[in-house]
Amino acid sequence: MAFFIPVIAAALFSVSPMLAQTRPDHDHASPQHWSFEGPLGNFDLAAVQRGYLVYEQVCSSCHGMKHVQFRDLEGMGLDAEAVKSIASGYQIQNGRDLSGALKYRHGLPDDAFPTPVKPAGVPEGVVPPDQSRLTVVYPGGPDRIYALLTGYGSAPAGVTLPSGQLYNRFASGRMIAMKLPLRGGEVHYPDGTSATVEQEARDVTTFLAWVAQPHLVERHRTGVRVLVYLLCLAILLFILKRRIWSNVE
């Protein structure tokens, strides 16, 4: 037994440098501060509206939101006429004609955001993910989505990327098929906010977090009310207990 201990120790020490040199699949995204985090978090609707503009002008050409209806946009502060105008700007599949070709009509408020049939510039075989629930299903959540949108760069020396792939240290395998989506200054914000790459990335991530959990604020408020109710109930029960047992010797 004494002979095997040095052998096992030597084996462990010989393997540990190899384990230490193993790099993770992608870089870890730095934690960001989001207004909707925490039990008292709420959405900055101004940021949500700016994020929608980024989605509409940049993301919607490739990504759909099949679980989000145009009418849902009323929850971010738009009126019914504005929603109707937005919906009418989209083309919705409406069956086929006699020749078998797809027919389209203008969108209505009750329609869901359509998924582009064949997005331009997307490599063959690549299917852009639906963004309806992206922030809750994508590993790393909003932090990693923000990091991904701002993490494009040149590949390190000695790293060769396959055709159609770009280097992004936050993507799986540190490569991604999605072309650089944000360049800064391409989206006009009516409120005068400077449309830098970082600002656009933060706003569209906030918008995607909102469409994924549009009732998050209501759930937070309900949770706070329940906690206050339980606290008051506990205080009343404590007072009642003291009163009942005060005459017991």
Side-chain angles (χ1 to χ4, degrees):
M1 184 65 181
F3 168 77
F4 287 105
I5 294 178
V7 175
I8 295 173
L12 290 175
F13 279 110
S14 64
V15 172
S16 59
M18 296 175 59
L19 295 176
Q21 293 174 4
T22 301
R23 299 184 65 193
D25 182 51
H26 57 81
D27 285 10
H28 178 70
S30 300
Q32 301 291 319
H33 172 69
W34 303 103
S35 64
F36 49 84
E37 288 182 328
L40 299 178
N42 59 81
F43 285 104
D44 178 356
L45 293 185
V48 173
Q49 292 181 15
R50 292 196 302 267
Y52 169 72
L53 293 178
V54 178
Y55 169 80
E56 180 186 43
Q57 299 179 32
V58 178
C59 309
S60 64
S61 60
C62 296
H63 300 272
M65 292 193 298
K66 62 184 179 182
H67 299 297
V68 181
Q69 295 180 322
F70 293 107
R71 190 178 301 281
D72 294 333
L73 298 183
E74 293 182 12
M76 68 178 190
L78 301 184
D79 58 32
E81 284 302 316
V83 170
K84 185 177 180 180
S85 175
I86 290 173
S88 65
Y90 284 81
Q91 294 293 309
I92 307 297
Q93 289 187 29
N94 188 32
R96 296 178 181 271
D97 58 23
L98 295 178
S99 65
L102 291 172
K103 294 193 302 182
Y104 292 88
R105 60 170 173 77
H106 292 293
L108 299 172
D110 288 332
D111 289 321
F113 280 83
T115 299
V117 177
K118 191 175 181 181
V122 175
E124 192 68 27
V126 175
V127 180
D130 184 85
Q131 295 192 330
S132 305
R133 304 291 182 262
L134 191 63
T135 58
V136 296
V137 300
Y138 191 68
D143 289 341
R144 190 173 172 206
I145 291 175
Y146 172 81
L148 192 74
L149 292 172
T150 57
Y152 286 80
S154 301
V159 175
T160 302
L161 299 176
S163 176
Q165 298 287 324
L166 298 176
Y167 182 79
N168 190 312
R169 62 194 181 95
F170 299 104
S172 297
R174 293 187 172 80
M175 64 181 70
I176 189 171
M178 182 173 67
K179 294 182 179 179
L180 179 66
L182 305 177
R183 301 179 184 276
E186 294 182 341
V187 177
H188 172 68
Y189 286 151
D191 63 1
T193 301
S194 179
T196 62
V197 170
E198 291 75 14
Q199 185 65 54
E200 291 176 2
R202 182 169 293 278
D203 289 339
V204 75
T205 301
T206 301
F207 171 71
L208 294 178
W210 177 77
V211 298
Q213 302 185 80
H215 305 296
L216 180 67
V217 175
E218 287 80 359
R219 294 206 304 269
H220 284 173
R221 290 174 179 170
T222 300
V224 170
R225 293 190 188 103
V226 170
L227 289 176
V228 172
Y229 170 78
L230 291 176
L231 178 61
C232 293
L233 182 61
I235 293 173
L236 290 175
L237 289 175
F238 176 77
I239 294 173
L240 181 62
K241 173 182 174 297
R242 292 291 300 270
R243 175 169 294 183
I244 291 174
W245 289 92
S246 62
N247 297 323
V248 178
E249 296 181 356

